[in-house]
Amino acid sequence: DVVLTQSPLSLPVTLGQPASISCRSSQSLVHSDGHTYFNWFQQRPGQSPRRLIFRVSNRDSGVPDRFSGSGSGTDFTLKISRVEGEDVGIYYCMQGTHWPLTFGQGTKVEIK
Amino acid sequence: EVQLLESGGDLVQVGGSLRLSCAASGFTFSDLDMSWARQAPGKGLEWVSTVGRSGVGTNYADSVQGRFTISRDNSKNMVYLQMSGLRAEDTAVYYCATQRWLDVWGKGTTVTVSS
């Protein structure tokens, strides 16, 4: 199975400052069709998960442009350009290239 | 607007069975694969299963293979998760989501397996 390793697991941030989460895969996430099926999800406290980013760098509808995704192959990054209070929660990376689908452990983002 | 509404969660004993349902609306149901994922109390997310658009192709996590069965009824816009041989470690909130890519999630239904 593909193992996704996120870092850090806890990320205290100052409002208005940038934040970055890394996700490393145990194998390449490039599918045979050429796409890389790598997503980022946000789970606010008490809420269902919400997809933020699909196929590495594409923002879902309604996602603020302060969120951006980048990376390739086995190394991926989620960046928040200026953290706002509503960004508090747990962020998960996920790969949809290989069965079984797998998630990272989650990174808890909190305000300092 | 895409909406997914899960139901069927309950308290069940170890070894018991349960069927979860997910009612979908706001999109052409038969055009999309559908998935189930879960989250144990205080834990991270775990993909459980995905069913293809026609209901023929299915995939399962190793942890549920042979015990859970995913199915769908395109005439009713419903997806199901039949769970049997339930274990304490199956205790979780179960979410229905669109596609293999988990685009949109429901609010979840809670399954508690107790001895």
Side-chain angles (χ1 to χ4, degrees):
Chain A
D1 298 0
V2 174
V3 176
L4 297 179
T5 303
Q6 290 184 227
S7 63
L9 298 184
S10 178
L11 184 56
V13 296
T14 301
L15 288 173
Q17 292 301 300
S20 179
I21 301 170
S22 171
C23 183
R24 179 162 291 178
S25 173
S26 61
Q27 59 184 275
S28 174
L29 299 183
V30 180
H31 193 274
S32 56
D33 66 7
H35 291 296
T36 300
Y37 296 106
F38 179 85
N39 305 326
W40 288 99
F41 293 85
Q42 175 195 61
Q43 188 173 31
R44 292 170 171 153
Q47 295 188 12
S48 303
R50 164 201 184 194
R51 197 179 68 178
L52 296 177
I53 302 285
F54 64 97
R55 290 210 307 269
V56 181
S57 59
N58 299 276
R59 270 190 305 276
D60 273 279
S61 175
V63 175
D65 60 8
R66 64 179 181 276
F67 290 93
S68 64
S70 63
S72 64
T74 61
D75 287 284
F76 304 92
T77 302
L78 175 69
K79 292 184 179 178
I80 309 174
S81 60
R82 295 171 305 279
V83 172
E84 298 188 6
E86 65 179 17
D87 300 336
V88 164
I90 302 177
Y91 292 77
Y92 296 91
C93 58
M94 173 252 173
Q95 67 84 21
T97 297
H98 304 286
W99 300 105
L101 312 183
T102 50
F103 288 91
Q105 320 97 299
T107 294
K108 186 173 185 178
V109 172
E110 56 185 8
I111 304 301
K112 282 184 186 176
Chain B
E1 180 192 3
V2 174
Q3 290 194 334
L4 302 171
L5 183 62
E6 303 92 337
S7 60
D10 204 348
L11 171 64
V12 61
Q13 289 195 329
V14 169
S17 298
L18 204 58
R19 188 177 86 153
L20 306 183
S21 301
C22 172
S25 61
F27 64 102
T28 304
F29 183 71
S30 58
D31 281 352
L32 300 185
D33 299 348
M34 295 294 295
S35 295
W36 287 94
R38 67 184 181 182
Q39 186 170 36
K43 302 297 184 183
L45 301 173
E46 180 187 18
W47 168 78
V48 173
S49 183
T50 298
V51 60
R53 289 172 289 178
S54 65
V56 173
T58 58
N59 287 275
Y60 297 93
D62 290 346
S63 57
V64 306
Q65 179 78 49
R67 300 188 298 123
F68 290 11
T69 302
I70 190 171
S71 62
R72 64 190 294 162
D73 185 337
N74 287 347
S75 68
K76 296 181 179 178
N77 288 6
M78 297 288 294
V79 61
Y80 306 99
L81 188 67
Q82 178 69 47
M83 305 184 295
S84 61
L86 284 162
R87 306 167 179 168
E89 55 265 34
D90 295 318
T91 294
V93 176
Y94 284 74
Y95 296 101
C96 173
T98 55
Q99 304 207 85
R100 168 176 175 171
W101 327 122
L102 310 181
D103 307 12
V104 177
W105 297 56
K107 295 191 183 303
T109 187
T110 300
V111 173
T112 304
V113 183
S114 173
S115 55

